[in-house]
Amino acid sequence: MIDRRELLQRAAAMLGGAVSASAAAGVLAGCVATPPVEGDTPDYSWFTPTEAATMTALAARIIPATDTLGAVEVGAVPYIDNMMANYHEPQERQILREGLARIDRESQAAHQRPFAALTEDQQVQLMTGWDEEAYAQSQSDIGKSDPPRHFFRMTKELTTLAFFTSEYGATEFLQYKAVPGEWRADVPYSEIGRAWAT
Amino acid sequence: MTDLASKSREERTFDAIVVGSGISGGWAAKELCEKGLKTLVLERGPQVKHGTDYKTFGHNPWDFRFPGGRVPQEEIDRHYPKQSRTGYTINDAWKHWFVKDDEHPYTEVSRFDWMRGYQVGGRSITWGRQSYRHSPMDFEANAREGVGVDWPIRYEDLAPWYDHVESWIGVSGREEGLAHLPDGKFQPPMAFNVVETTLKEKVEARFPERRITIGRTAHLTKPTDEQVKLGRGQCQNRNLCMRGCAFGAYFSSNGSTLIAADHTGNMTLQPDAVVTEIIFDPETSRATGVRVLDAETGDRVEVYAKVIFLCASTLNSAWIMMHSVSDRFPNGFGNDSGQLGRNIMDHHFLVGAQAEVEGFEDRYYSGRRPNGIYIPRFRNLGDDETKKDFLRGYGYQGGASREGWQRLVAELGFGAGMKEKLQDPGAWTIGITGFGEMLPYEDNTISLNHEVRDIHGLPTLTMDVTIRDNELAMRKDMQEAGVEMLEAAGFQNVRGYERPYAPGLGIHEMGAARMGRDPNTSVLNGWCQVHASPNVYVTDGSAMTSASCVNPSLTYMALTARAADHAVTQLKRGEL
Ligand SMILES: Cc1cc2nc3c(=O)[nH]c(=O)nc-3n(C[C@H](O)[C@H](O)[C@H](O)COP(=O)(O)OP(=O)(O)OC[C@H]3O[C@@H](n4cnc5c(N)ncnc54)[C@H](O)[C@@H]3O)c2cc1C
């Protein structure tokens, strides 16, 4: 039986979030998101070209480029492609694949165009609906032991993971020290300024 | 590959043989070599050279195949269905330190999680380094309560050896003056963060019998000259320890004991050498050596010595003994009592409490402390106030930290707003997990399984181990008392938790060849000698007569050093 906080924790744990000191050992490594080289057409092994275009639009809205780089700029899409091809379980692959198909179906129905061709506003509007649906599902999952995953939650997780474990995400957007040297147990946050990547 | 087979009998004869090069075997090797014995260390796994063989030591987070070093499910299903049960052991950063389950299977009557690695250094590379002494109370409990058999030794017997081991390995910790968690020889303690300090103040004010201290951990915070000379350095607070530490900042065999043993010139370290049997001479009632299987070539060879230290880890030392049958020992080596393979213990855990902490948003930390807080046992300390409806007790390990970038995935929202929020750390959270003592039950057993064979064609183990009413009652209290303390600290959303625990997952397996006073009811005597074959010492967790609730490895080290001293004295006297 799980409750809301447990769900939050599980979701965080799936991204390597530390819950307890003993679990912290599992949280220390990272990933392979590498920025696309200019002019390179990524060679996807799992995404179809249409799916890759949809995923690129989703990633760009979830963690957009602002005055700092966004998920797409740090290589989130090839990264997710690699994850789906080589890491995820068949069931999860199916959830994402069906989700991407549904995105285009609903986009066609609402705007007669594939999702990747919509304006940013139209994309955000549709995504807000799926986000609410995923959130509602997670609320109704409270108490269930092994709830199925929602495609939008998965997309959000994968994008977040790709961004914050990339070299840019970890070292420039956040900060990371390979060899901290000291343990300073109590420091004013103003002195540090940004969250640690790990 | 070993080259033992090509050597003459004389070249295969040593003063001492140590089986295993993990935490216990490394200590046996160092002590025996330093005391002048020509010592052969037999290790079933491959060589792991300190520093150079820690292949992920310098990896940045983004250098791994998959985020967090995660290993694809297919690979886990094929090779690590059991070794992955901790949730963190099978990771690209350190999975090479764990066995492949398909090569080294075992059978479970009920679920048993046997987490282990076969290589030079054993699990000294991956251990959590928490290091506590057993207390006088721990050595007396069995006799007082009529549980199992009495320990043949008392705290005073081991205390000087705890001193010796702690000073040498380096343990960082804080003196607390508690009778039930004796202080050791400590290097400077690591500091609490602001939320942990708050917990300490509030809990100690409310519950005078409870103490919150910093974890006692085998890390150098102020290396001694001797440690520096060995090539060891101060902890750099990376908290990537399980990869292996090229700084030598935490204690491992590879970075400490095996180096010291090697410096004496008395050690022959032989990797890829699986010990399959102890050779026994019924005429003299002494073991004469061991049989070795070359892990690579399958060649078999015998090696000989005057004294043998079994340090292959609890269940593997018992395996060697059970697999060593002869006319004299039809039920396994030294098993006149029938106690070999019984009384298997672990520490039960995965129960405790968690909370969110409002405030302190202006406080943070820098560095990654490879350690947490510790709450020593406060139940059944011998007075009425602390007495409960179960025997023994438990301690908690835990810590507080600020939430990271993972925290918003499960919330509503995405986009620039979410991104910006995640540039700052989240709220403080805190968690404590109890580690409870498990009683020795005679019918918690391991046995040889001749049907299921390992990669070398050798028989394997079947585990039949469960926790019982005493542990279940304790678990209830572990959760309640945890909640009570986080509430006393004034934290928010305090909630107890309990996850299914199966024996083994504490990775503190103990018992199987217990020490005792009476050869009819125990396998080893008070010096860890096999009653029926006194030149065989078994000094890993299999010797344990009861489990205490503290992490056990420091005690294995102290038992080993004490036994090595005894063995050398006895050898000189011609008594082995
Ligand atoms: C992730 C993790 C965290 C842990 N945290 C802590 C902690 O915080 N505190 C604590 O006290 N303990 C902790 N432990 C437990 C600790 O690692 C063990 O108690 C300790 O390593 C036991 O030492 P050992 O020498 O008996 O066995 P090991 O270190 O396992 O070494 C045994 C060696 O013997 C070799 N061997 C086995 N069979 C044979 C054979 N037939 N022939 C030749 N060689 C053989 C093995 O390959 C191995 O190298 C932890 C363990 C793990 C995995």
Side-chain angles (χ1 to χ4, degrees):
Chain A
M1 293 292 278
I2 57 177
D3 63 11
R4 181 185 137 74
R5 278 205 27 91
E6 175 91 23
L7 273 178
L8 288 177
Q9 281 184 347
R10 276 197 196 179
M14 225 166 291
L15 306 191
V19 186
S20 66
S22 64
V27 189
L28 307 166
C31 91
V32 289
T34 32
V37 179
E38 199 102 24
D40 235 15
T41 330
D43 201 2
Y44 294 113
S45 42
W46 189 80
F47 286 133
T48 66
T50 314
E51 287 170 341
T54 308
M55 191 65 229
T56 304
L58 289 165
R61 300 291 83 74
I62 290 170
I63 301 189
T66 49
D67 52 349
T68 51
L69 302 184
V72 172
E73 291 72 33
V74 305
V77 181
Y79 165 101
I80 295 171
D81 182 63
N82 180 39
M83 286 286 287
M84 297 321 287
N86 299 305
Y87 183 85
H88 274 269
E89 293 179 67
Q91 202 194 345
E92 294 188 314
R93 292 188 183 128
Q94 198 190 335
I95 291 170
L96 190 64
R97 180 140 276 153
E98 284 171 4
L100 291 168
R102 179 181 155 193
I103 287 175
D104 263 349
R105 264 199 323 276
E106 292 188 13
S107 172
Q108 289 288 359
H111 305 288
Q112 296 76 50
R113 282 198 285 169
F115 184 75
L118 302 185
T119 66
E120 287 188 19
D121 284 349
Q122 290 170 328
Q123 287 172 343
V124 168
Q125 196 194 5
L126 281 171
M127 284 167 72
T128 304
W130 299 319
D131 193 31
E132 281 163 0
E133 182 185 297
Y135 185 75
Q137 180 183 314
S138 74
Q139 294 305 294
S140 66
D141 283 343
I142 291 175
K144 290 186 197 156
S145 67
D146 197 12
R149 312 188 60 201
H150 189 280
F151 78 90
F152 192 75
R153 168 69 63 80
M154 251 182 91
T155 308
K156 223 162 114 179
E157 276 172 14
L158 288 164
T159 306
T160 309
L161 196 55
F163 181 73
F164 286 101
T165 61
S166 70
E167 184 168 2
Y168 174 85
T171 64
E172 294 192 49
F173 187 77
L174 301 181
Q175 46 182 339
Y176 174 73
K177 275 190 190 165
V179 184
E182 263 187 303
W183 161 245
R184 295 172 64 207
D186 187 12
V187 187
Y189 180 52
S190 54
E191 243 182 64
I192 297 179
R194 263 178 298 151
W196 297 111
T198 70
Chain B
M1 198 180 88
T2 79
D3 56 359
L4 291 169
S6 63
K7 296 203 165 139
S8 68
R9 186 180 171 115
E10 208 187 322
E11 288 169 315
R12 282 182 281 120
T13 303
F14 297 80
D15 295 330
I17 289 172
V18 174
V19 183
S21 63
I23 290 186
S24 314
W27 262 96
K30 164 182 136 55
E31 298 289 293
L32 295 171
C33 288
E34 286 180 348
K35 292 174 194 293
L37 302 198
K38 294 282 175 204
T39 303
L40 173 65
V41 179
L42 296 166
E43 166 53 55
R44 71 181 302 157
Q47 176 63 280
V48 175
K49 285 257 193 263
H50 178 55
T52 48
D53 284 342
Y54 304 150
K55 60 184 183 187
T56 58
F57 175 75
H59 278 40
N60 283 306
W62 48 92
D63 294 333
F64 290 92
R65 288 186 293 173
F66 300 113
R70 281 188 280 175
V71 176
Q73 195 58 43
E74 289 90 330
E75 193 179 331
I76 291 178
D77 291 345
R78 182 159 349 120
H79 296 307
Y80 307 105
K82 296 180 183 180
Q83 298 305 303
S84 60
R85 286 175 178 175
T86 58
Y88 62 86
T89 37
I90 297 309
N91 183 292
D92 275 341
W94 43 63
K95 70 170 193 279
H96 40 282
W97 305 140
F98 292 88
V99 299
K100 291 186 168 149
D101 291 312
D102 47 338
E103 297 180 355
H104 301 285
Y106 61 91
T107 306
E108 301 161 274
V109 175
S110 60
R111 181 167 156 169
F112 188 94
D113 301 337
W114 190 19
M115 303 297 142
R116 66 214 191 279
Y118 295 162
Q119 62 261 330
V120 168
R123 289 177 291 185
S124 76
I125 302 173
T126 51
W127 74 311
R129 309 161 310 277
Q130 292 290 306
S131 300
Y132 304 90
R133 295 183 176 204
H134 281 217
S135 70
M137 179 177 73
D138 292 322
F139 290 98
E140 292 156 13
N142 276 6
R144 198 177 47 241
E145 295 161 356
V147 171
V149 295
D150 187 16
W151 279 86
I153 58 171
R154 287 292 179 261
Y155 178 70
E156 294 68 39
D157 296 307
L158 215 48
W161 299 101
Y162 278 131
D163 287 353
H164 174 62
V165 166
E166 285 162 345
S167 314
W168 197 83
I169 68 174
V171 176
S172 147
R174 223 182 93 125
E175 291 183 1
E176 298 286 351
L178 302 174
H180 54 280
L181 189 76
D183 291 331
K185 302 274 175 207
F186 295 141
Q187 298 201 358
M190 297 177 182
F192 290 127
N193 62 42
V194 62
V195 167
E196 294 160 350
T197 303
T198 303
L199 179 76
K200 178 177 171 61
E201 287 167 3
K202 297 266 170 67
V203 168
E204 291 180 1
R206 168 79 190 281
F207 304 99
E209 79 287 6
R210 301 190 195 177
R211 189 69 58 89
I212 300 197
T213 190
I214 190 73
R216 296 176 177 175
T217 184
H219 281 251
L220 304 184
T221 49
K222 195 172 174 232
T224 61
D225 291 347
E226 189 185 27
Q227 286 156 348
V228 171
K229 236 184 258 162
L230 261 188
R232 302 188 56 194
Q234 187 164 334
C235 178
Q236 297 300 307
N237 294 293
R238 302 187 334 142
N239 197 18
L240 301 174
C241 313
M242 273 176 80
R243 298 176 181 186
C245 183
F247 305 124
Y250 74 84
F251 170 80
S252 67
S253 301
N254 315 63
S256 315
T257 43
L258 294 176
I259 295 179
D262 194 46
H263 283 172
T264 64
N266 287 329
M267 178 175 73
T268 305
L269 171 61
Q270 183 56 69
D272 305 316
V274 185
V275 172
T276 58
E277 281 128 343
I278 303 163
I279 309 163
F280 185 70
D281 176 5
E283 303 282 297
T284 58
S285 281
R286 298 289 185 274
T288 54
V290 299
R291 295 200 180 89
V292 175
L293 171 77
D294 187 309
E296 292 195 327
T297 64
D299 288 344
R300 286 170 191 268
V301 64
E302 295 188 347
V303 289
Y304 310 99
K306 297 182 201 119
V307 58
I308 296 165
F309 269 66
L310 276 192
C311 301
S313 78
T314 301
L315 304 185
N316 275 316
S317 287
W319 179 90
I320 294 171
M321 295 173 82
M322 292 192 288
H323 194 242
S324 304
V325 286
S326 59
D327 289 344
R328 169 64 184 83
F329 294 124
N331 301 317
F333 191 85
N335 190 20
D336 295 341
S337 64
Q339 290 298 323
L340 181 64
R342 297 188 173 276
N343 311 297
I344 306 299
M345 299 168 281
D346 184 31
H347 291 132
H348 62 96
F349 74 124
L350 293 182
V351 54
Q354 299 165 343
E356 288 162 16
V357 182
E358 275 171 15
F360 306 110
E361 281 99 355
D362 57 340
R363 316 282 275 277
Y364 206 19
Y365 39 75
S366 175
R368 297 184 292 273
R369 183 187 62 191
N371 191 15
I373 60 169
Y374 190 68
I375 308 179
R377 174 172 160 182
F378 50 81
R379 296 301 198 203
N380 296 322
L381 298 181
D383 53 354
D384 281 349
E385 275 89 272
T386 62
K387 194 162 166 37
K388 301 297 287 185
D389 61 348
F390 51 83
L391 298 176
R392 319 284 164 104
Y394 53 85
Y396 295 93
Q397 302 184 15
S401 58
R402 293 191 71 165
E403 291 182 316
W405 49 264
Q406 300 90 347
R407 69 187 182 274
L408 294 182
V409 271
E411 301 286 8
L412 270 178
F414 56 88
M418 175 181 88
K419 182 185 175 194
E420 200 188 315
K421 271 191 212 150
L422 291 178
Q423 205 158 23
D424 290 321
W428 287 89
T429 60
I430 186 161
I432 56 175
T433 295
F435 281 77
E437 176 160 0
M438 181 174 163
L439 295 176
Y441 301 104
E442 245 181 52
D443 57 345
N444 269 342
T445 64
I446 54 167
S447 55
L448 274 194
N449 182 335
H450 292 274
E451 310 298 314
V452 179
R453 300 273 167 159
D454 73 4
I455 189 174
H456 306 300
L458 295 167
T460 55
L461 288 176
T462 293
M463 281 62 159
D464 186 0
V465 182
T466 53
I467 54 171
R468 314 281 166 92
D469 290 348
N470 196 64
E471 290 76 28
L472 295 173
M474 192 188 295
R475 289 176 79 74
K476 227 173 135 258
D477 189 53
M478 286 155 91
Q479 187 172 158
E480 285 166 11
V483 166
E484 184 179 74
M485 286 189 283
L486 298 189
E487 279 175 351
F491 299 150
Q492 289 71 42
N493 277 323
V494 177
R495 48 200 291 282
Y497 78 88
E498 175 167 12
R499 304 216 174 88
Y501 158 84
L505 198 63
I507 328 186
H508 296 161
E509 65 285 356
M510 285 171 268
R514 70 182 176 196
M515 296 166 91
R517 300 175 188 271
D518 180 355
N520 293 314
T521 57
S522 59
V523 182
L524 310 175
N525 70 12
W527 299 102
C528 298
Q529 292 169 286
V530 175
H531 286 299
S533 179
N535 70 333
V536 177
Y537 289 76
V538 187
T539 70
D540 53 31
S542 49
M544 304 292 276
T545 312
S546 70
S548 172
C549 67
V550 299
N551 306 60
S553 306
L554 186 74
T555 299
Y556 307 165
M557 294 190 242
L559 285 174
T560 304
R562 179 171 172 271
D565 185 62
H566 184 260
V568 171
T569 311
Q570 294 296 95
L571 265 183
K572 281 191 189 135
R573 289 195 192 138
E575 307 227 344
L576 291 186

